[in-house]
Amino acid sequence: MTGSGAASISAHRQVPTIEGMSDSTAGLILAAGRATRFGSNKLFAVVGGRPMLQHVLDFATAVGLKPVVVVVGPDHAAVESELTWHGEQIVVNPNPERGLSSSVRLGMSALAASTAERLLVLLGDQPFLAPDQAGRILSSPSHTARPISVPRYEGRPGNPVLLERSAWPLAESLTGDRGMVQVINAHPELVRYIDVPGTNPDIDTAADLAALTSGAGRGRSGHTAGEDRSRP
């Protein structure tokens, strides 16, 4: 499924122009999880005719994130060959068992030299993020005092998290498998919440996938921004 990506983008759902979005918003896609609960590499599981991770790659491109860094695990050769890429930078996390924080740090280190003013952190197992949901997050104006924007679905904090450039250095202190939630919990004064319609479910197990593709699980919220993801 390698190639220029044109066919994949044209087949992707139409994404409207997001008014108010910064022209300099980077994307970080976390896709190095071991998927121990799924039983196989869930990123290749077919959702709507495409691999799960393909949805996230296509979406990041369609909404205009640039540059985009994708953190993958030691099986990166298979990931690279099975997907259609759009110029993303692939970063390999050789030790994903060290937790989600290790992928966040690697990805943000790769973005350090970019001129992006903001960063949207996407999860590779959340293929159902809708254009209007992303628009609510990306069109929010920069907030100097609260540089961490967390979407809230039906009152529950979730993903993806939007970081202003001033908040990026905070990722250097991350440890274990809880990602940016450590910063969110330690610095609530830096966080603002954005109410977003609907939900943004993630897929942890084959049962999750079956329920979501049948429509039975669409109302299920994904991991909250404060939830431990020790078993991706």
Side-chain angles (χ1 to χ4, degrees), residues 85-130:
W85 299 87
H86 315 297
E88 300 90 340
Q89 179 182 352
I90 299 173
V91 174
V92 178
N93 182 350
N95 303 111
E97 67 275 5
R98 293 181 178 174
L100 187 66
S101 63
S102 64
S103 290
V104 175
R105 292 196 311 274
L106 283 170
M108 295 188 72
S109 177
L111 286 162
S114 79
T115 59
E117 300 170 357
R118 314 176 93 182
L119 173 65
L120 189 69
V121 183
L122 297 158
L123 303 184
D125 64 356
Q126 292 188 330
F128 295 108
L129 184 65

Side-chain angles (χ1 to χ4, degrees), residues 149-168:
S149 297
V150 178
R152 191 162 48 192
Y153 305 92
E154 298 178 347
R156 187 182 185 192
N159 293 288
V161 173
L162 179 66
L163 304 174
E164 305 295 337
R165 186 86 191 204
S166 62
W168 293 17

Side-chain angles (χ1 to χ4, degrees), residues 1-15 47-63 82-88:
M1 296 181 61
T2 56
S4 66
S8 181
I9 288 296
S10 63
H12 193 63
R13 56 193 165 187
Q14 294 297 309
V15 180
V47 179
R50 287 177 292 155
M52 186 187 309
L53 181 56
Q54 189 69 61
H55 285 266
V56 184
L57 295 175
D58 292 350
F59 191 81
T61 298
V63 300
E82 290 296 324
L83 300 171
T84 298
W85 299 87
H86 315 297
E88 300 90 340

